[in-house]
Amino acid sequence: MMNNPNPIRDYIVPGKRVHLVGVGGVSMCPLAEVLRGMGLTVQGSDMTESDTVKHLRSLGIPVAIGHNAENLGDCDFVVRTAAVHDSNPEIAGAVARGIPVYERAQAWGAIMQRYPNALCVSGTHGKTTTTSMCTHIFMAAEADPTVMIGGTLPLLHAGYRVGHGDTIILESCEYCNSFLSFFPTVAVILNVEADHLDFFKDLHDIEHSFHRFAELVPPKGSVIVNADNQGALDSVAGLAHPVFTFGLDHPADCTAANLGETDGRPTFDVVIRGEKYAHVTLQVYGHHNILNALAAASAAYALGLPGKAVEEGLAAFAGAGRRFEHKGTYHGAEVYDDYAHHPDELHALLTTARELDYKRVIVAFQPHTYTRTAALFDRFVEELKLADVAVLAEIYAAREQNTLGISSSDLCRNIPGSVYCSTLDKVADQLRQIVRPGDLVLTVGAGDIYRAGEKLLKEK
């Protein structure tokens, strides 16, 4: 990386001062706490005030608002998020002064080397839910794990925890090959699909990245792969390391038997290599969540946890924040929010929603990034047709500029009966006009579409 004659582990030692650029981010805030707990002096900056910034300040970690080279002070090294570019004044200032700059993923990688067990959950989708399920299981086993999740878990009242056990559990993202800086002892690959095509060339390029991720696992570790997903299987083809599989529709080392339902929620036995490991009653819906639970159970099995911990942990898991999260009731309609932003995630969400006992499924969808919308345009159109009514918010730009000239209105023209709204206020207004008692209303996307649902619920 930049200005880095030495690996980051040489700097993660008590007494060193680290500056975190973008410290209020979902995985930077826990990083700040972990580094502080390891005896480093931690400071940081972020573009806006937030609850996470307030939390860090309450711990005595100074956070500057706005990015300025003067914020660096006398720090020994800098850690940045993938969203912070070389032109950022703090990065440029560090380079000018010869201060080493490292990526967030490199810092997490160095930290996980200190744990005997590093459970890394990867995949195009399902990472947050499965990482959360793993957290519940390890907490039920009283393993006191350190955790980093890309969303909020009610059990933790946050997206992370700093434990004192021998296990660290991390949601592991492939974007910009971040997870290749990790040191997994257990690598879970949930699925591999075409996504993040602003960085990867194509699906084959993505599969190659996941293959490299699996290769990071040491000989005594475990590579756990979804047997029902062809991309996941292709990503580990030719891997020297033995692979442990989970699945429902294809032969696998870990599968579900005696499938049933309790109040619409799945119940089943987790069977590993022909023997019952646990009996599970989920509090979350859908075929995809059975697979997520099997992945979490496989990881627990690989790390020697008893089946009882799987049973107790999954029985207590009611979902992660923004994963089919119930937000309230509006004029007899139930309002839920979900993070789905890939066509496969939309398919899982909407097919599950249609199986529930609602008169209509109304989805307010906000596409996430211009490149993803353009690359997967036809798939988005196909999946959004599953809703009875689709209300389309404008594309959430995230890290991008609209150099493609694409808009959600383009999707709207291809989805019969859909409505395009240029602002979130207009989305909320449109929902007020069309919602009826007995409807299921879903606000869906990885941006700020949830605010439309909040606006709706404020005016009951």
Side-chain angles (χ1 to χ4, degrees):
M1 303 307 295
M2 309 176 70
N3 290 359
N4 303 342
N6 300 311
I8 190 172
R9 64 175 178 269
D10 291 353
Y11 290 90
I12 300 182
V13 294
K16 290 287 188 182
R17 179 179 291 274
V18 58
H19 181 83
L20 276 61
V21 185
V23 72
V26 69
S27 69
M28 290 290 273
C29 181
L31 177 61
E33 283 203 52
V34 171
L35 292 173
R36 178 177 174 270
M38 295 172 69
L40 282 78
T41 300
V42 180
Q43 63 183 49
S45 63
D46 208 271
M47 286 301 295
T48 57
E49 294 280 359
S50 66
D51 289 341
T52 51
V53 167
K54 292 176 183 175
H55 170 70
L56 291 171
R57 286 178 178 151
S58 74
L59 299 177
I61 296 174
V63 179
I65 299 303
H67 293 161
N68 190 306
E70 294 179 1
N71 293 336
L72 298 171
D74 58 352
C75 70
D76 295 298
F77 68 111
V78 171
V79 177
R80 66 175 177 181
T81 68
V84 174
H85 302 295
D86 294 352
S87 58
N88 179 281
E90 295 181 9
I91 302 304
V95 171
R97 290 173 52 189
I99 301 171
V101 178
Y102 298 93
E103 303 290 341
R104 172 193 60 197
Q106 291 177 296
W108 279 115
I111 289 167
M112 72 176 63
Q113 286 182 281
R114 298 167 184 248
Y115 289 82
N117 305 319
L119 168 53
C120 296
V121 179
S122 73
T124 307
H125 35 260
K127 294 186 293 293
T128 297
T129 295
T130 306
T131 308
S132 298
M133 287 178 168
C134 289
T135 300
H136 266 262
I137 292 169
F138 278 78
M139 293 289 283
E142 299 182 352
D144 195 15
T146 293
V147 178
M148 198 285 288
I149 307 172
T152 299
L153 180 60
L155 174 69
L156 307 180
H157 304 290
Y160 62 93
R161 79 182 297 270
V162 180
H164 299 91
D166 62 3
T167 300
I168 184 168
I169 304 170
L170 291 102
E171 180 172 333
S172 305
C173 183
E174 74 276 17
Y175 184 60
C176 294
N177 282 328
S178 290
F179 63 0
L180 298 186
S181 293
F182 289 177
F183 294 86
T185 62
V186 176
V188 176
I189 301 177
L190 299 170
N191 35 64
V192 179
E193 307 288 352
D195 197 13
H196 297 305
L197 296 174
D198 57 325
F199 176 76
F200 293 108
K201 297 175 185 176
D202 50 29
L203 179 58
H204 179 73
D205 189 27
I206 298 169
E207 290 171 353
H208 177 66
S209 183
F210 276 90
H211 187 92
R212 292 172 62 197
F213 172 65
E215 287 181 322
L216 297 173
V217 176
K220 292 185 178 180
S222 299
V223 177
I224 297 171
V225 178
N226 184 356
D228 292 352
N229 183 264
Q230 192 58 50
L233 291 176
D234 289 346
S235 71
V236 296
L239 190 71
H241 198 292
V243 172
F244 184 98
T245 57
F246 66 92
L248 284 171
D249 302 326
H250 296 83
D253 295 304
C254 176
T255 190
N258 303 316
L259 274 162
E261 288 187 357
T262 301
D263 297 327
R265 297 177 176 89
T267 65
F268 53 93
D269 292 331
V270 177
V271 177
I272 295 180
R273 293 171 178 162
E275 294 189 5
K276 179 181 173 181
Y277 175 50
H279 177 75
V280 170
T281 300
L282 295 180
Q283 304 303 313
V284 290
Y285 299 95
H287 179 278
H288 61 294
N289 276 322
I290 299 175
L291 283 171
N292 291 337
L294 291 176
S298 297
Y301 175 83
L303 288 170
L305 268 59
K308 183 180 179 183
V310 174
E311 294 173 350
E312 293 178 357
L314 293 180
F317 175 70
R322 301 212 62 210
R323 272 66 181 179
F324 202 65
E325 180 182 5
H326 186 248
K327 304 297 287 189
T329 303
Y330 177 79
H331 292 182
E334 298 303 319
V335 180
Y336 283 75
D337 181 63
D338 197 273
Y339 194 74
H341 56 285
H342 183 279
D344 288 348
E345 295 165 346
L346 269 178
H347 182 81
L349 173 66
L350 294 177
T351 52
T352 298
R354 292 189 68 85
E355 292 172 357
L356 303 178
D357 191 23
Y358 292 98
K359 292 182 179 178
R360 296 186 303 168
V361 175
I362 298 173
V363 59
F365 179 64
Q366 180 188 55
H368 191 259
T369 74
Y370 306 110
T371 53
R372 180 183 285 114
T373 307
L376 304 174
F377 187 92
D378 292 342
R379 290 285 318 282
F380 278 118
V381 168
E382 176 186 351
E383 301 304 343
L384 288 165
K385 287 179 180 178
L386 291 172
D388 293 293
V389 182
V391 178
L392 297 170
E394 189 50 271
I395 298 168
Y396 189 82
R399 55 190 172 266
E400 296 182 345
Q401 298 294 320
N402 190 7
T403 59
L404 302 173
I406 193 169
S407 166
S408 292
S409 61
D410 300 319
L411 289 170
C412 187
R413 283 192 289 272
N414 289 272
I415 303 170
S418 63
V419 180
Y420 166 71
C421 298
S422 58
T423 68
L424 294 183
D425 284 338
K426 290 181 179 179
V427 172
D429 289 341
Q430 182 65 31
L431 291 175
R432 289 188 194 100
Q433 295 175 33
I434 63 176
V435 168
R436 306 172 193 159
D439 286 345
L440 171 62
V441 179
L442 296 167
T443 57
V444 182
D448 58 358
I449 185 65
Y450 64 89
R451 297 185 187 278
E454 292 176 349
K455 291 175 185 291
L456 179 70
L457 291 168
K458 280 181 181 178
E459 299 184 20
K460 294 181 181 181

